[in-house]
Amino acid sequence: MSNSQQLFEENQLARHLGSGALYKVLQPNVLLESDKTPMVVYRSQYDGVIWTRPLHEFMLKFEPLKGSGTST
């Protein structure tokens, strides 16, 4: 696992860089079955909608909020 994949932890909040909206990372390191693409599963803190996005895209569009993950 690379350092970039470790930036986001399960239950950590992330801010969308474009809109500023908050999302909770549900699963930071899952694989798309068809081609093993690393994916992130996350939920909107506004309306509860669950989303998935390739990890490389997630890394470009979201910033982790420090201290919001499960580890201290």
Side-chain angles (χ1 to χ4, degrees):
M1 182 182 300
S2 72
N3 287 340
S4 65
Q5 290 174 314
Q6 295 175 15
L7 282 177
F8 294 93
E9 299 176 5
E10 189 174 324
N11 294 320
Q12 183 170 24
L13 291 178
R15 183 185 328 273
H16 187 273
L17 295 173
S19 69
L22 296 178
Y23 295 83
K24 181 179 269 191
V25 175
L26 301 177
Q27 292 292 323
N29 191 28
V30 296
L31 297 176
L32 186 62
E33 183 179 10
S34 62
D35 65 1
K36 307 296 190 241
T37 299
M39 303 288 288
V40 176
V41 180
Y42 57 105
R43 181 178 58 225
S44 167
Q45 292 295 95
Y46 173 71
D47 59 12
V49 173
I50 295 175
W51 299 88
T52 61
R53 186 183 294 259
L55 177 62
H56 70 276
E57 287 182 20
F58 193 84
M59 299 296 296
L60 294 173
K61 296 179 183 261
F62 290 84
E63 67 176 340
L65 297 181
K66 302 297 182 202
S68 62
T70 55
S71 63
T72 54

